[in-house]
Amino acid sequence: CYRFFVRDASGEFQPLGDTTRVAVPARGEASCFVGGPDLETESKGLFGLSFDELLGSEWVKDDSICFKVCIEEAVMKEHPSGGQIRVGKTDVVYEHKPPSVEVPPPTLKADFISLLTEGR
C-alpha cells in the first residue's frame, strides 16, 4: 500500500488521494510501476492545477513543494506455485523503456587528478 501526502501552508501534511494497494512480484526480473493520486482522474497534475496556478497555491512555499509518501510492505505468507496475484486493477501494463538520453561515462575523477598533478 502507498499513500501520498503534501505539506500545506501551516506545515502539516495533508492526504493527497486515497491509499492505493498494489502487488509486485518478489522473484524474477525486477519491475517498477508508476503510481500517484492523479493517474485515475481526468485532470492531471497536482489538484488539477496548471503550473502557474500551483505556484500561487497554498502548497508552494519559497518556490518549493514538499511531498511525503508512506509505503507499507506486507509479505505474503504463502505464494501460489503458479500464476500471478493481482490486487486492485487488472488492466495495469508494465513496460520497459530504454533511457531516452545517453549519459557519457564520468570524467570527474580523471579531471580532478589531472588538475592536481598537472595543473590543468
Side-chain angles (χ1 to χ4, degrees):
C1 295
Y2 68 88
R3 187 163 196 190
F4 283 81
F5 295 83
V6 61
R7 186 180 292 162
D8 65 15
S10 70
E12 297 293 317
F13 282 98
Q14 302 300 322
L16 180 59
D18 297 324
T19 300
T20 303
R21 185 175 178 196
V22 296
V24 294
R27 300 182 189 112
E29 185 178 326
S31 61
C32 64
F33 67 95
V34 176
D38 65 336
L39 294 179
E40 303 295 324
T41 62
E42 288 295 318
S43 61
K44 301 300 179 198
L46 192 55
F47 306 113
L49 300 175
S50 70
F51 181 73
D52 290 332
E53 292 169 331
L54 185 60
L55 285 177
S57 73
E58 66 174 300
W59 310 105
V60 176
K61 182 178 181 183
D62 298 327
D63 286 336
S64 66
I65 190 167
C66 185
F67 293 95
K68 175 171 71 171
V69 181
C70 294
I71 299 172
E72 178 185 335
E73 181 181 18
V75 178
M76 295 175 58
K77 300 292 183 204
E78 293 184 33
H79 194 278
S81 58
Q84 297 179 343
I85 297 175
R86 298 194 181 271
V87 177
K89 291 192 167 234
T90 58
D91 61 348
V92 176
V93 176
Y94 294 96
E95 65 178 70
H96 175 73
K97 291 178 79 177
S100 59
V101 296
E102 194 171 314
V103 179
T107 61
L108 181 62
K109 180 180 175 183
D111 293 345
F112 190 63
I113 289 173
S114 174
L115 175 69
L116 292 175
T117 58
E118 302 169 23
R120 53 180 164 124

